[in-house]
Amino acid sequence: ATGEEIVEEQKVKVCFIPSGDSELELLESTSPDGPIAKFIEKNNGRNGIQHIALRVDNIEQTIADLLAKGVRMIDEKPRYGAGGSSIAFVHPKSTGGILVELCQRNK
């Protein structure tokens, strides 16, 4: 996917930039109380990597597999993400402090 999209539920404006088999996703907060604005504020105004996203074929099965292995999830059920995707976040306490997003695209 390319272009920009606002995801109201997450208070964020998203821009996808394709690069080979991967893509870069840039996020801009649409509200001072959004998660991206809070991340930047927490990090003393510095921009940086907020999370890493991994594309999966079946997000429900991936979540179930991770939970069965004792992985802590922020989202135990998928929610709406940019580009019509289903997303879920793995808790950083289960990934050495890195926020990981699972993403399933149906397109």
Side-chain angles (χ1 to χ4, degrees), residues 10-101:
Q10 297 176 32
K11 300 179 183 179
V12 70
K13 179 177 171 183
V14 181
C15 177
F16 293 105
I17 302 170
S19 177
D21 290 338
S22 300
E23 63 190 16
L24 185 63
E25 180 181 16
L26 303 177
L27 306 173
E28 177 183 357
S29 187
T30 58
S31 171
D33 68 341
I36 298 304
K38 288 180 182 178
F39 171 82
I40 292 171
E41 182 179 326
K42 181 180 174 184
N43 289 283
N44 298 318
R46 295 175 305 205
N47 294 318
I49 296 175
Q50 197 262 348
H51 70 277
I52 302 293
L54 303 173
R55 184 174 289 174
V56 297
D57 293 329
N58 184 324
I59 195 164
E60 289 89 358
Q61 186 62 53
T62 302
I63 292 169
D65 291 347
L66 290 172
L67 289 171
K69 292 175 181 168
V71 174
R72 186 171 170 191
M73 298 293 298
I74 293 173
D75 301 299
E76 292 190 8
K77 294 183 179 181
R79 56 179 152 142
Y80 175 81
S85 62
S86 295
I87 64 169
F89 286 93
V90 179
H91 199 287
K93 288 186 177 181
S94 288
T95 59
I98 298 168
L99 182 62
V100 175
E101 175 188 6

